[in-house]
Structures are given as structure tokens and as C-alpha cells.
Amino acid sequence: MEKTAFVFAGGGSLGAIEAGMLRELIASGLRPDFLVGASAGAINCVFFGFQPHAAGAMRLEFLWRGIRRQQIMPWSFLALLGAARGTHLVNPARLRSLLYEHFGNRPLEDTDLPVHVVATEMSTGNEIVISSGSAVEAVLASTAIPGVFPPVSLAGNLLIDGGVANNTPISTAIRLGATRVIVLATGFSCADRRQPKGALEHAMSALNLLVARQLVSDLERWAAHAEIAVVAPLCPLDVSPYDYSQCGLLIDRAAAETRRWLDTGGLDNHGIPGALRPHSHAEE
């Protein structure tokens, strides 16, 4: 019996891309059997799990269009100074409030579609899959970027960002029984589009390369275990995962690209998109 999973990758503000993809996937008639998400992807999969229909996808889009960095990462010069004496930059209170506004006290067991949230056990680096309990706490754990947010204590584990262990949890979906996997990737900055500026962009550029290589490796490794289709990643992409001012544009681009991908038989293409391989835009 075929079981379809939507897999939502991590990527900070680039999670907005997945909202555009999701709108068009649902509009095309696709209906997943369950959802798996890590980091920013956890926000998307839990939100959609509670509202797994076209209206829910639209509400998720509205959420991303309205998000501002101060709602997620309200850091300041004083916070940076304080971080030298502490373990993290940002108090998660605002993110918790935003999540509570949408999820309330509901547990993951109450979602209309089964949802599995990926986090990382801090001391071992092992992947932890959360399928029950507080939706808010599960997402806080999965989005606890090391050094930015504090780790989350949950069920006896101290948890950090799911992207550390498995940023695009294809393997998790297959272990949970998926025979078909639709991957909603957040996209990766092209290596030579422009040189990174500043320490944070250099760090994010390095992380981008690591995540892209891991995704390609996972696609090659798990291709024989399930039908895997990667929704066309945005390329070129030159938006920082910490820049929330571009979410609306990212959604619009992703929706248009996903429509084109669907119309040209993308669901039947199980190869690795060229945008995930090293490539150049030098002549553009």
C-alpha cells in the first residue's frame, strides 16, 4: 500500500519557500498520508498537520508573509554582550508566544494528519523523532538553533535544532513507512552567486554547503527505498536564512516554480535537481 510523506526541510526564514510550494502541491490534488519536518520545516508541518487542506496552506502562507525577525529572533547589542556570559543569544519567549497563538495547548496527537518532528539530542547528536506531546514544545525543540536559542528539555532529553541531526529528514519518513516522499527543500545559495559578507553570512554559506551535500547524499542513498521527488528548489537564491523581509517574494517565486515543476511532470522525476549540485551563474 502506497504511503506518501511530505518532508519539510529546515532553513530559517527560507521556510517561507515551503509555504509557496505547499500551496501548489495541495492545489494540484496531492494529499500526503503523514508529515515530517525539521527546524523551520517543523513549524510548517505542524501548522499544516492541524489544517491539512487548501485553506490551511493559505493560512500558513499568511503566517509567513507577516513574520518579522523581531518575532523570532529579537536580538540586540545587549543580548550579544550577555551571550558572552550565557549559553544563547535569544530568549525564546516571543517565538513561544507566536507558536502558542496558532497551536495553543494542543498535542501533536490532535493533528488531522500524523506529524513527526525531528530534533537533535544535544549530548550525542542523535536524531530524536517527536510524534506526541505538546506541539509548541516539539517545535521549540526542533528550532532551537545552538547558541541562538536555549536547548529544550523534553521527555528526559535535552534537545536542539533538528537540522543538526537531519535537516531534510527523508530517511525518517522512509523509516516511518513512506513509499513515496515529496521533499520541500528550502533552497541553497549558489556557491559563486556573490561572496558572503560578514561573519554570519560566511557561517551560513558554509552551513549551506554542508546541508546541500548531505541532501544529495541522502537522495542517492535512499533512492532505492522509496520514490523520492524533490520540488524544484529556487535557483538562483540570494537571501539569508536570517532575513525575514523577503518572505513574501520567496513564497511567490516558490509557488510559480512549483506550478511549472508540476506542469512539466516533476512528480515523476526522481533524479537529483541540478540546483543541488555545484553549478555556476557566472555568465548570467
Side-chain angles (χ1 to χ4, degrees):
M1 180 179 177
E2 185 174 82
K3 291 185 72 174
T4 298
F6 282 6
V7 169
F8 296 82
S13 64
L14 303 184
I17 292 169
E18 297 172 348
M21 292 174 171
L22 183 64
R23 183 222 297 172
E24 297 305 321
L25 292 173
I26 298 306
S28 76
L30 269 175
R31 295 293 182 269
D33 295 292
F34 65 93
L35 311 169
V36 185
S39 198
I43 297 174
N44 291 336
C45 84
V46 173
F47 190 103
F48 187 66
F50 281 118
Q51 307 176 67
H53 40 61
M58 188 64 70
R59 291 186 190 115
L60 178 62
E61 179 181 333
F62 289 155
L63 170 65
W64 277 105
R65 288 184 186 276
I67 284 179
R68 298 296 178 263
R69 185 183 62 77
Q70 287 300 314
Q71 293 175 275
I72 307 292
M73 299 178 181
W75 58 43
S76 63
F77 182 67
L78 289 176
L80 293 172
L81 289 177
R85 301 187 297 273
T87 60
H88 56 277
L89 286 172
V90 178
N91 185 318
R94 290 194 184 179
L95 177 57
R96 182 187 297 275
S97 177
L98 178 66
L99 296 174
Y100 188 82
E101 178 184 339
H102 294 282
F103 305 151
N105 290 317
R106 287 177 291 178
L108 292 178
E109 297 96 314
D110 282 358
T111 55
D112 291 335
L113 272 180
V115 167
H116 307 278
V117 172
V118 172
T120 304
E121 208 288 313
M122 189 171 76
S123 63
T124 63
N126 290 335
E127 176 183 341
I128 300 291
V129 180
I130 308 168
S131 307
S132 61
S134 165
V136 169
E137 293 302 312
V139 173
L140 283 174
S142 187
T143 57
I145 303 168
V148 176
F149 292 116
V152 173
S153 180
L154 202 60
N157 293 305
L158 202 57
L159 304 178
I160 58 174
D161 196 300
V164 175
N166 200 350
N167 192 71
T168 312
I170 296 167
S171 56
T172 309
I174 292 172
R175 286 195 296 268
L176 289 167
T179 58
R180 182 171 71 152
V181 178
I182 311 298
V183 180
L184 288 77
T186 49
F188 309 94
S189 300
C190 303
D192 63 354
R193 189 64 179 175
R194 101 173 142 71
Q195 288 299 309
K197 298 176 182 177
L200 185 59
E201 280 202 10
H202 275 282
M204 290 309 304
S205 178
L207 183 60
N208 246 347
L209 288 172
L210 177 64
V211 168
R213 289 191 179 193
Q214 185 59 55
L215 176 52
V216 169
S217 176
D218 285 350
L219 289 169
E220 291 172 342
R221 177 181 179 185
W222 294 100
H225 298 267
E227 293 182 3
I228 305 173
V230 182
V231 182
L234 295 190
C235 183
L237 180 64
D238 184 19
V239 177
S240 164
Y242 291 107
D243 180 1
Y244 288 83
S245 68
Q246 305 296 313
C247 289
L249 292 174
L250 291 174
I251 290 169
D252 293 340
R253 279 188 64 196
E257 185 62 21
T258 303
R259 281 196 302 273
R260 185 203 63 76
W261 178 79
L262 287 165
D263 290 345
T264 55
L267 282 171
D268 298 320
N269 183 354
H270 303 142
I272 298 173
L276 301 182
R277 303 280 194 184
H279 62 281
S280 174
H281 292 274
E283 296 180 1
E284 293 183 7

